[in-house]
Amino acid sequence: MSTKPEVLFVCVHNAGRSQLAAALLQHYALGRITVRSAGSAPADQVNPAAAEALAELGLDITAEVPSKLTTEDVEASDVVITMGCGDTCPVFPGKRYLDWQLEDPAGQGVDAVRPIRDDIDRRVRALLAELLDGQA
């Protein structure tokens, strides 16, 4: 792994789960980790309920734009995390691949998205501790 770990969150539409995870990791990492998110079939906009659920924590993702997953994104990352949505990524030796089985927030209201956000939050904090363990 490089000096500054790089994490890629992948979900088909890159509008909900991967956006939640990326925003939370960026927030907690304080610049110590490079964070990306992408999807194989990106939506036109971020899921409004996901944006609202993050706004409750003081995080704003309304300006984020879902992006297309590229081989370069995967190649540049140390850890690639799919979000339980069946998306596939190119596989490169030396990369760590995880699949977080998460409920899909698509079409859900903020009340249904909060538990998904909180689940992602717990996972992101654990990942952050693991990635930064031993770093000054």
Side-chain angles (χ1 to χ4, degrees), residues 7-133:
V7 176
L8 171 64
F9 293 103
V10 179
C11 196
V12 174
H13 300 298
N14 187 224
R17 293 167 282 196
S18 55
Q19 291 285 348
L20 288 165
L24 289 164
L25 184 55
Q26 284 174 332
H27 172 70
Y28 295 130
L30 302 171
R32 297 172 291 176
I33 295 174
T34 300
V35 182
R36 294 181 183 83
S37 70
S40 58
D44 293 331
Q45 66 181 21
V46 169
N47 178 323
E52 186 178 344
L54 277 178
E56 294 174 350
L57 302 179
L59 301 176
D60 183 4
I61 61 167
T62 56
E64 295 297 322
V65 177
S67 61
K68 178 84 171 147
L69 177 66
T70 67
T71 300
E72 292 78 21
D73 289 333
V74 178
E75 195 168 28
S77 301
D78 298 301
V79 181
V80 179
I81 302 171
T82 54
M83 312 300 286
C85 48
D87 223 347
T88 58
C89 301
V91 176
F92 292 96
K95 308 290 175 198
R96 181 173 172 205
Y97 295 87
L98 301 170
D99 183 42
W100 290 355
Q101 292 296 313
L102 299 161
E103 294 295 317
D104 188 353
Q108 305 283 345
V110 71
D111 289 339
V113 175
R114 281 187 196 107
I116 299 167
R117 174 203 64 200
D118 294 345
D119 186 6
I120 291 170
D121 186 73
R122 283 187 292 277
R123 293 170 191 248
V124 160
R125 287 175 187 251
L127 177 68
L128 178 67
E130 180 186 321
L131 291 175
L132 297 181
D133 186 37

